[in-house]
Amino acid sequence: MVELIHLAIGDIAERLTGQTKVENIRKTLSNFFREENNRVSYQNVWIAEVFDEVTGMILTYSGAAASQLDKPLLERLRRKTRNQNMFFDQEADVGDLYIDTVSVSPKFQGYGIGTKLLWKAEELALQKGYERISLNVAKNNRYAKKLYNRIGYQEDKEIQINGHTYDYMVKRLKVHASGE
């Protein structure tokens, strides 16, 4: 899981962990993955498997809970750097179910696993009563942007995360009233 998260978020993992070496980044992410109530917790992850092999994952949480979920990572980082003024960029809007990370193992890419994971996140969002689901995609990631557009995500705004420009993409969901 941690390898897939790291592959997807790249240098944001360095920012979240305060580490630069791959093994240290993944060790720190792994520790947080095992714990509850933080951004990268196992609680927020859906896993795709084929014959007991992990093929991909998607990590989602409420945009309203983002700052609370960031708190354990931020507190650790502030202690490590002795800098109480550190902060993380706001990635998610309050009213959205936010897709923090979607990642498919390189050997399983091109088989529709990413699309199915996105549909799973949308299903989860509907179950929880969200009208919008959102994600960020790097400005230059044409392949991912094409996928997101194809399944209904639209660019909403540009945001900065860790010094990089991202398109904040949103999909409006059709929430059905009970009995429909």
Side-chain angles (χ1 to χ4, degrees):
M1 286 300 90
V2 169
E3 183 179 327
L4 288 174
I5 292 170
H6 190 202
L7 283 172
I9 67 174
D11 67 350
I12 294 171
E14 291 180 20
R15 175 78 172 155
L16 293 176
T17 64
Q19 306 286 346
T20 54
K21 292 183 179 176
V22 170
E23 61 270 14
N24 293 339
I25 290 169
R26 291 185 178 171
K27 181 179 179 190
T28 302
L29 287 175
S30 184
N31 290 337
F32 278 112
F33 182 81
R34 288 188 203 100
E35 294 177 11
E36 296 183 352
N37 302 317
N38 72 78
R39 173 198 283 227
V40 294
S41 172
Y42 70 90
Q43 295 171 300
N44 304 323
V45 173
W46 282 92
I47 300 167
E49 293 180 313
V50 173
F51 301 116
D52 293 328
E53 186 171 359
V54 173
T55 59
M57 56 75 61
I58 194 162
L59 191 154
T60 65
Y61 48 82
S62 166
S67 61
Q68 191 65 29
L69 292 172
D70 279 347
K71 208 177 232 181
L73 288 91
L74 197 51
E75 287 173 356
R76 180 195 168 279
L77 193 57
R78 286 175 175 163
R79 280 191 310 273
K80 180 179 178 0
T81 62
R82 294 186 174 95
N83 179 355
Q84 292 303 306
N85 297 321
M86 297 214 53
F87 68 95
F88 296 143
D89 296 314
Q90 181 179 339
E91 294 183 28
D93 285 353
V94 170
D96 296 349
L97 183 70
Y98 177 63
I99 299 171
D100 181 286
T101 309
V102 60
S103 184
V104 175
S105 172
K107 75 180 199 179
F108 290 101
Q109 291 176 355
Y111 293 101
I113 293 166
T115 301
K116 287 182 177 123
L117 285 165
L118 290 163
W119 288 341
K120 183 64 180 174
E122 291 173 21
E123 180 185 313
L124 178 66
L126 286 169
Q127 288 171 2
K128 293 184 175 191
Y130 286 92
E131 293 181 13
R132 288 174 23 136
I133 190 165
S134 60
L135 53 82
N136 286 299
V137 61
K139 255 322 204 189
N140 62 354
N141 191 342
R142 289 188 192 100
Y143 176 77
K145 201 177 293 187
K146 184 177 175 184
L147 166 65
Y148 302 142
N149 283 141
R150 184 173 49 83
I151 62 172
Y153 287 80
Q154 309 243 327
E155 293 172 29
D156 186 59
K157 60 186 172 186
E158 284 184 2
I159 68 168
Q160 293 290 312
I161 304 172
N162 204 35
H164 304 289
T165 304
Y166 288 80
D167 284 322
Y168 189 79
M169 299 186 75
V170 172
K171 182 173 183 179
R172 298 203 181 281
L173 302 172
K174 294 179 180 143
V175 180
H176 298 286
S178 58
E180 284 188 39

